[in-house]
Amino acid sequence: MFKKILVAYDESPEAARALTCAIDLAVQLKAQLHLVTVREPLPAYLGYAEAAFPGSKRALTDERQLFYRNLHHKAKTQAEAQGLTLDGDIIEGNEVQSLTDCIQNWQADLLVIGRRHHLSTFARFSTSTVYEVAERTRCSILGVL
Protein backbone atom coordinates (compact mmCIF):
# COMPACT_ATOMS: atom_id res chain seq x y z
CA MET A 1 0.00 0.00 0.00
CA PHE A 2 2.38 2.75 1.18
CA LYS A 3 5.97 2.45 -0.07
CA LYS A 4 7.37 5.88 0.82
CA ILE A 5 6.45 7.32 4.22
CA LEU A 6 7.48 10.85 5.17
CA VAL A 7 7.33 11.86 8.82
CA ALA A 8 7.32 15.48 9.98
CA TYR A 9 9.52 15.67 13.04
CA ASP A 10 10.44 18.33 15.56
CA GLU A 11 10.97 18.52 19.31
CA SER A 12 7.27 18.30 20.22
CA PRO A 13 5.69 15.31 21.99
CA GLU A 14 3.22 15.01 19.10
CA ALA A 15 6.07 14.64 16.62
CA ALA A 16 7.68 11.97 18.81
CA ARG A 17 4.44 9.99 18.72
CA ALA A 18 4.21 10.50 14.95
CA LEU A 19 7.76 9.16 14.55
CA THR A 20 6.97 6.05 16.60
CA CYS A 21 3.84 5.44 14.53
CA ALA A 22 5.69 6.01 11.25
CA ILE A 23 8.44 3.59 12.25
CA ASP A 24 5.87 0.93 13.15
CA LEU A 25 4.05 1.43 9.83
CA ALA A 26 7.26 1.34 7.80
CA VAL A 27 8.31 -1.91 9.47
CA GLN A 28 4.90 -3.55 8.91
CA LEU A 29 4.59 -2.34 5.33
CA LYS A 30 8.27 -2.78 4.45
CA ALA A 31 8.26 0.84 3.30
CA GLN A 32 10.98 3.45 3.04
CA LEU A 33 10.91 6.10 5.77
CA HIS A 34 12.15 9.67 5.43
CA LEU A 35 12.34 12.28 8.17
CA VAL A 36 11.82 16.00 7.60
CA THR A 37 12.21 18.82 10.08
CA VAL A 38 11.15 22.33 9.12
CA ARG A 39 12.82 25.17 10.99
CA GLU A 40 11.19 28.55 10.90
CA PRO A 41 13.62 31.30 9.82
CA LEU A 42 15.18 33.31 12.64
CA PRO A 43 13.14 36.40 13.54
CA ALA A 44 14.09 39.72 11.94
CA TYR A 45 14.57 41.39 15.32
CA LEU A 46 17.65 39.24 15.82
CA GLY A 47 19.41 41.98 13.84
CA TYR A 48 19.25 44.14 16.98
CA ALA A 49 21.03 41.48 19.01
CA GLU A 50 23.64 41.14 16.26
CA ALA A 51 24.27 44.89 16.33
CA ALA A 52 24.72 44.86 20.11
CA PHE A 53 26.58 41.54 20.27
CA PRO A 54 28.41 40.82 17.00
CA GLY A 55 28.48 37.09 16.26
CA SER A 56 25.34 36.32 18.25
CA LYS A 57 23.32 35.47 15.13
CA ARG A 58 25.97 33.00 13.97
CA ALA A 59 26.18 31.44 17.44
CA LEU A 60 22.39 31.02 17.57
CA THR A 61 22.32 29.57 14.06
CA ASP A 62 25.05 27.06 14.94
CA GLU A 63 23.28 26.11 18.18
CA ARG A 64 19.99 25.50 16.36
CA GLN A 65 21.73 23.40 13.70
CA LEU A 66 23.40 21.26 16.37
CA PHE A 67 20.10 20.86 18.23
CA TYR A 68 18.30 19.60 15.10
CA ARG A 69 21.18 17.33 14.07
CA ASN A 70 21.05 15.72 17.53
CA LEU A 71 17.27 15.39 17.24
CA HIS A 72 17.68 13.60 13.91
CA HIS A 73 20.39 11.37 15.34
CA LYS A 74 17.99 10.22 18.11
CA ALA A 75 15.29 9.52 15.52
CA LYS A 76 17.70 7.52 13.36
CA THR A 77 18.80 5.51 16.40
CA GLN A 78 15.14 4.75 17.21
CA ALA A 79 14.51 3.60 13.64
CA GLU A 80 17.68 1.49 13.50
CA ALA A 81 16.56 -0.32 16.66
CA GLN A 82 13.58 -1.52 14.59
CA GLY A 83 15.76 -2.52 11.63
CA LEU A 84 15.05 0.56 9.50
CA THR A 85 17.43 2.89 7.76
CA LEU A 86 16.20 6.43 8.20
CA ASP A 87 17.46 9.43 6.30
CA GLY A 88 16.27 12.95 6.80
CA ASP A 89 16.36 16.62 5.93
CA ILE A 90 16.39 19.77 8.00
CA ILE A 91 14.78 22.51 5.95
CA GLU A 92 14.45 26.18 6.78
CA GLY A 93 11.33 27.89 5.53
CA ASN A 94 7.56 28.04 5.75
CA GLU A 95 6.25 24.85 7.34
CA VAL A 96 3.42 24.13 4.91
CA GLN A 97 5.36 24.98 1.75
CA SER A 98 8.44 23.06 2.91
CA LEU A 99 6.39 19.94 3.73
CA THR A 100 4.55 20.16 0.41
CA ASP A 101 7.83 20.50 -1.49
CA CYS A 102 9.36 17.58 0.39
CA ILE A 103 6.32 15.38 -0.34
CA GLN A 104 6.64 16.17 -4.05
CA ASN A 105 10.43 15.88 -4.23
CA TRP A 106 10.55 12.59 -2.37
CA GLN A 107 7.29 11.33 -4.01
CA ALA A 108 5.86 10.25 -0.64
CA ASP A 109 2.68 8.16 -0.51
CA LEU A 110 1.99 9.03 3.14
CA LEU A 111 2.79 11.93 5.43
CA VAL A 112 2.73 11.13 9.15
CA ILE A 113 2.44 14.25 11.27
CA GLY A 114 1.73 14.97 14.92
CA ARG A 115 -1.44 16.89 15.78
CA ARG A 116 -1.76 19.36 18.64
CA HIS A 117 -4.93 19.44 20.78
CA HIS A 118 -5.09 23.06 21.85
CA LEU A 119 -7.59 24.38 19.29
CA SER A 120 -11.33 24.03 18.93
CA THR A 121 -12.55 21.43 16.46
CA PHE A 122 -13.36 23.99 13.77
CA ALA A 123 -10.10 25.92 14.19
CA ARG A 124 -8.11 22.71 14.27
CA PHE A 125 -9.26 21.79 10.76
CA SER A 126 -9.51 25.23 9.20
CA THR A 127 -6.09 26.61 10.21
CA SER A 128 -3.90 23.59 10.84
CA THR A 129 -0.74 22.60 9.04
CA VAL A 130 -2.34 19.24 8.26
CA TYR A 131 -5.31 20.91 6.57
CA GLU A 132 -3.13 23.28 4.56
CA VAL A 133 -0.81 20.48 3.38
CA ALA A 134 -3.84 18.35 2.45
CA GLU A 135 -5.17 21.22 0.33
CA ARG A 136 -1.89 21.41 -1.61
CA THR A 137 -1.04 17.75 -2.24
CA ARG A 138 -2.56 14.40 -3.13
CA CYS A 139 -0.47 12.52 -0.57
CA SER A 140 -2.36 10.59 2.11
CA ILE A 141 -1.93 12.07 5.58
CA LEU A 142 -2.00 10.38 8.96
CA GLY A 143 -2.43 12.82 11.84
CA VAL A 144 -1.21 11.30 15.10
CA LEU A 145 -2.63 12.62 18.38
Side-chain angles (χ1 to χ4, degrees):
M1 177 176 227
F2 298 114
K3 297 295 178 196
K4 293 181 122 185
I5 300 172
L6 179 68
V7 59
Y9 188 61
D10 61 18
E11 65 276 13
S12 70
E14 295 86 2
R17 289 191 296 273
L19 175 64
T20 299
C21 181
I23 289 171
D24 291 345
L25 275 172
V27 167
Q28 291 176 17
L29 299 173
K30 295 177 178 48
Q32 294 177 347
L33 184 60
H34 190 82
L35 188 71
V36 64
T37 297
V38 180
R39 293 185 322 199
E40 298 278 335
L42 291 171
Y45 61 77
L46 190 61
Y48 293 115
E50 183 65 26
F53 305 102
S56 60
K57 183 176 181 181
R58 183 71 194 155
L60 183 57
T61 300
D62 291 347
E63 188 175 314
R64 284 178 67 190
Q65 187 65 20
L66 179 61
F67 173 81
Y68 286 112
R69 269 194 245 130
N70 288 337
L71 192 68
H72 273 229
H73 178 72
K74 285 189 223 176
K76 289 176 184 182
T77 301
Q78 184 178 343
E80 286 170 0
Q82 299 296 319
L84 283 177
T85 301
L86 177 64
D87 61 344
D89 296 310
I90 301 169
I91 301 169
E92 185 164 313
N94 173 275
E95 187 175 38
V96 172
Q97 188 60 52
S98 296
L99 286 173
T100 303
D101 290 346
C102 198
I103 288 166
Q104 289 176 331
N105 293 339
W106 200 62
Q107 298 178 339
D109 320 292
L110 177 67
L111 170 66
V112 180
I113 187 168
R115 296 281 319 272
R116 292 177 174 84
H117 306 274
H118 62 280
L119 298 172
S120 70
T121 301
F122 175 73
R124 197 176 308 148
F125 290 109
S126 64
T127 62
S128 71
T129 299
V130 175
Y131 177 81
E132 290 184 46
V133 171
E135 287 293 308
R136 296 179 183 204
T137 185
R138 293 204 171 271
C139 178
S140 295
I141 299 174
L142 174 61
V144 178
L145 297 175

